[in-house]
Amino acid sequence: MGKQIKIDELTEAISEVIKDLYKERGTVVLDENNQYFNEIGKNLGLERYTSSNHNVTCSKLFAICDFFELSMSEFFIRVEEKNQLLKFNMQRQGDLVR
């Protein structure tokens, strides 16, 4: 199996959006994660995703969106707003993936 693709611009923007969502809720990361674990039975390890040293899976991202009560499309709109390079542009196609 080939090496996993990791796009720094994407992981940084995802981390920034997650931090913003916490600020909007006005709560502590660990407290929120523990509350979700108690209600759902799954530990999201959310503190890991507040740094840019991650490569989140689609399933984990879905769970994070569920936790924050927003759709994945809304989440990715916020991600693209954080870094405009993440919006598709034919002239830049493949640049971030390389």
Side-chain angles (χ1 to χ4, degrees):
M1 187 170 182
K3 186 178 178 185
Q4 210 178 39
I5 296 171
K6 183 171 185 228
I7 300 167
D8 291 332
E9 293 84 355
L10 178 60
T11 55
E12 289 170 15
I14 287 172
S15 294
E16 288 181 35
V17 170
I18 291 172
K19 288 180 205 174
D20 288 349
L21 290 166
Y22 273 114
K23 287 177 189 173
E24 288 173 19
R25 288 173 80 130
T27 56
V28 177
V29 174
L30 188 57
D31 291 343
E32 288 279 346
N33 194 43
N34 289 339
Q35 179 183 344
Y36 190 81
F37 177 77
N38 290 333
E39 292 174 12
I40 307 298
K42 296 285 183 189
N43 185 342
L44 296 177
L46 289 167
E47 61 282 350
R48 177 178 181 210
Y49 301 105
T50 58
S51 77
S52 58
N53 188 23
H54 66 81
N55 202 7
V56 67
T57 65
C58 291
S59 295
K60 181 69 80 161
L61 188 56
F62 179 85
I64 290 169
C65 290
D66 182 67
F67 172 77
F68 283 114
E69 301 172 344
L70 80 156
S71 68
M72 288 181 71
S73 57
E74 175 59 32
F75 185 87
F76 278 113
I77 287 169
R78 292 176 181 224
V79 168
E80 287 180 334
E81 288 171 354
K82 289 290 178 185
N83 188 330
Q84 297 293 312
L85 291 175
L86 297 170
K87 290 187 176 188
F88 180 74
N89 180 311
M90 190 60 128
Q91 278 91 23
R92 292 191 320 262
Q93 185 177 17
D95 289 350
L96 295 177
V97 178
R98 290 188 183 107

